[in-house]
Amino acid sequence: MWLCPLCKTPVSLNETPIRCINNHSFDKAKAGYVNLLPVQFKKSKMPGDDKAMVRARREFHQRNAYKPLKDRMCELIGLHLNPKIKERGRVKIYDAGCGEGSYLNAVVAGLKEKSFKEHTLQNQKISGQASQAQSIEVAGAGSDISKIAVELAAKAFKQHTFVVASSFDLPLEANSQDVVLQVFAPGSNDEYQRILTPEHGLLITVDPAEDHLYEIKQRVYDAPEKHQLDVSGREGFSILTRETLRFEISLLNNEHALSLVKMTPFYWKLPQESITDMVNALTTVTAHFHIQVWETCV
């Protein structure tokens, strides 16, 4: 599944030492992740989100405020993943730009607990089988350019595999993944085409919809602009469905509000006094997401 980022030959992350046939070696960190982003490929000393931003996202996700989004992602994968892939009994899910791992973990867990079990039960009902439902095996892996984010993900979700890598040069073999997630992250359409199975591979993209966190924007700008939906096509993919998901988030206290504000660029640009006023004033915010499901074209 994995490729050496330098010579593109296969490499196993389960071997010690981790080394390709051309003798390029990589260390596994104590946290369990592997750094597959060579120093010569970095554009800065510590690319990606810093420790404060990553920890703010983890704090916010621990409150599960985005649970409706995670649940809907599971439902859409369960609905649209081709039965031929499900019938293999094993589905591989990859999160490109995984951050601290919360989305990948929620999707894998949700598919195991509900969506794929329902598929198995339905098939058994049709075929007249009376045996106990068996879950489809779901394998999760992810990468991010931020070593800090990947370290946090690997420590929290040891059942998944995490690597440090660029989403524009994914260290994965061609046609090796069944589902790719891209949630609030930049990525390469060419890379998604390359790594997804050519028949019925799924790409799930999530971006902000028009009113996402608009209440925060109202406290920053005199005339805040709304997000614009991107409904352009993707080369090599057909669109299966696109939808928006909207719900309100009640901020339980100032700590909850602060963890949300820290996830936005505003926290790092505004003076502390403005941040304090914003946190004290916020009681609810609008979560609004644009979710698209794409399938690879042969």
Side-chain angles (χ1 to χ4, degrees):
M1 166 172 165
W2 300 99
L3 293 179
C4 170
L6 295 168
C7 64
K8 307 304 181 185
T9 59
V11 63
S12 171
L13 302 191
N14 296 321
E15 295 179 356
T16 305
I18 300 170
R19 183 174 292 152
C20 73
I21 59 172
N22 291 317
N23 217 31
H24 300 128
S25 60
F26 308 91
D27 295 326
K28 179 173 284 189
K30 289 182 179 179
Y33 70 90
V34 178
N35 193 334
L36 295 179
L37 183 66
V39 64
Q40 59 267 41
F41 293 174
K42 294 182 179 181
K43 295 182 180 179
S44 64
K45 186 177 180 181
M46 291 292 286
D49 294 337
D50 62 22
K51 184 178 290 187
M53 295 174 73
V54 170
R55 292 199 177 279
R57 289 189 175 92
R58 169 57 57 80
E59 289 172 11
F60 184 77
H61 282 301
Q62 284 177 331
R63 297 176 185 269
N64 226 8
Y66 281 179
K67 187 178 185 298
L69 170 62
K70 296 168 184 175
D71 289 346
R72 187 56 182 157
M73 289 169 66
C74 292
E75 291 170 358
L76 289 170
I77 294 170
L79 285 170
H80 294 287
L81 190 64
N82 192 275
K84 291 181 179 179
I85 294 178
K86 294 178 183 178
E87 285 164 8
R88 291 195 224 129
R90 189 170 192 266
V91 176
K92 290 184 284 186
I93 298 182
Y94 194 85
D95 190 347
C98 65
E100 44 72 56
S102 291
Y103 289 108
L104 175 67
N105 185 66
V107 167
V108 171
L111 290 173
K112 285 181 177 179
E113 291 171 9
K114 187 175 181 183
S115 297
F116 286 175
K117 277 189 178 181
E118 289 178 353
H119 164 80
T120 306
L121 282 166
Q122 185 178 15
N123 283 353
Q124 289 176 343
K125 192 176 293 184
I126 292 170
S127 63
Q129 294 177 7
S131 58
Q132 196 72 19
Q134 296 296 317
S135 298
I136 298 172
E137 182 184 351
V138 187
S143 59
D144 200 281
I145 201 168
S146 168
K147 186 171 77 170
I148 294 167
V150 171
E151 181 175 15
L152 202 60
K155 285 180 177 179
F157 310 118
K158 297 182 184 298
Q159 66 273 36
H160 311 309
T161 304
F162 294 98
V163 302
V164 181
S166 168
S167 291
F168 294 87
D169 187 18
L170 294 167
L172 291 165
E173 293 179 336
N175 309 331
S176 62
Q177 305 302 307
D178 300 309
V179 181
V180 168
L181 311 176
Q182 181 193 298
V183 186
F184 300 121
S188 165
N189 195 69
D190 290 342
E191 282 293 85
Y192 300 154
Q193 281 184 261
R194 183 183 66 81
I195 67 171
L196 276 166
T197 180
E199 294 187 6
H200 311 298
L202 283 189
L203 170 64
I204 313 296
T205 63
V206 181
D207 299 289
E210 298 99 320
D211 294 327
H212 188 58
L213 304 185
Y214 192 71
E215 293 82 357
I216 293 179
K217 283 188 172 184
Q218 287 179 309
R219 298 189 175 278
V220 177
Y221 303 113
D222 293 331
E225 295 183 359
K226 296 193 175 187
H227 292 285
Q228 298 297 311
L229 298 187
D230 183 0
V231 294
S232 56
R234 284 180 174 268
E235 185 178 352
F237 291 90
S238 59
I239 185 72
L240 296 182
T241 186
R242 54 169 57 101
E243 64 181 50
T244 58
L245 174 67
R246 178 184 178 127
F247 53 91
E248 302 301 312
I249 299 175
S250 296
L251 301 172
L252 305 178
N253 49 44
N254 283 4
E255 288 74 19
H256 195 185
L258 181 60
S259 66
L260 173 61
V261 174
K262 280 184 175 180
M263 289 172 57
T264 72
F266 304 122
Y267 181 81
W268 315 101
K269 296 177 180 179
L270 295 175
Q272 187 58 48
E273 182 179 348
S274 298
I275 295 295
T276 300
D277 291 343
M278 182 187 297
V279 166
N280 289 334
L282 285 174
T283 56
T284 61
V285 293
T286 302
H288 199 195
F289 305 102
H290 185 212
I291 310 170
Q292 300 181 87
V293 182
W294 309 82
E295 186 177 58
T296 50
C297 298
V298 181

